[in-house]
Amino acid sequence: MDTTELDNAYRHLLAAAGVIGDTAPLAPDSRSGIDWTLSHIALSDRILAAAARDVLTGLPAIVDNREAMDEAAISSLIASTTHTQRVDLVSRNAADLSAVLRATPDQAAAIPVTLRLVSREGRPLPEQRVPWGDLIRLRATEHLPGHTTRIRLLASAQ
């Protein structure tokens, strides 16, 4: 599968997050929002990479974002890493996801995957089945750019 658009979205995200240092003078709410966003993305990418491996190997793929929305998992990641380490984790997880996608044949984009999603508040959303390629395209064109914008806004707020 072609990862150009996804890789570009990660490049923009990592550039926005990378200019914020561990000691950048940010308002506590801004720092907290950036920490949450990076942790959420890092955890989401692990889930997506696991689903990508299932798609690649022909197993039924399920994307369940509960861990990436779980306050305990996010708090644990924030408590155990610095901002710089979280940016590096997002970079490594993104590279892993992109590598699996590049190894995936183009026709696999049509394979339906099951989405079991919860909101940030932990409320389950209706289960869906979507083509794998559509999910990756959504990540590249909406999800990551939205998080990039959020990080930039939080970093500029004083």
Side-chain angles (χ1 to χ4, degrees):
M1 291 177 62
D2 181 11
T3 63
T4 304
E5 201 168 27
L6 184 68
D7 293 340
N8 193 41
Y10 278 114
R11 213 172 355 271
H12 289 292
L13 175 86
L14 292 166
V19 298
I20 305 164
D22 290 324
T23 60
L26 296 173
D29 286 349
S30 294
R31 175 65 71 183
S32 176
I34 292 167
D35 292 347
W36 188 94
T37 301
L38 290 174
S39 297
H40 163 72
I41 294 166
L43 294 169
S44 295
D45 286 344
R46 287 181 189 163
I47 294 163
L48 288 171
R53 285 181 183 82
D54 288 344
V55 168
L56 180 62
T57 59
L59 295 172
I62 298 172
V63 175
D64 183 336
N65 77 335
R66 289 176 210 283
E67 182 186 5
M69 300 302 281
D70 181 68
E71 280 306 315
I74 290 171
S75 294
S76 176
L77 183 56
I78 291 168
S80 65
T81 58
T82 66
H83 173 81
T84 301
Q85 290 169 329
R86 284 187 291 280
V87 171
D88 182 60
L89 181 60
V90 169
S91 178
R92 286 185 282 122
N93 290 355
D96 180 43
L97 173 59
S98 289
V100 178
L101 291 172
R102 280 190 297 278
T104 304
D106 288 339
Q107 63 268 24
I111 294 173
V113 297
T114 300
L115 299 181
R116 292 187 184 144
L117 306 178
V118 297
S119 69
R120 187 165 179 177
E121 296 77 32
R123 280 178 294 206
L125 301 171
E127 187 171 297
Q128 303 173 50
R129 288 187 51 82
V130 300
W132 178 240
D134 289 356
L135 180 61
I136 297 304
R137 199 169 10 270
L138 180 66
R139 183 142 184 97
T141 62
E142 293 185 32
H143 192 239
L144 292 173
H147 284 315
T148 301
T149 298
R150 182 170 193 262
I151 288 169
R152 285 186 177 131
L153 288 172
L154 289 169
S156 67
Q158 291 299 324

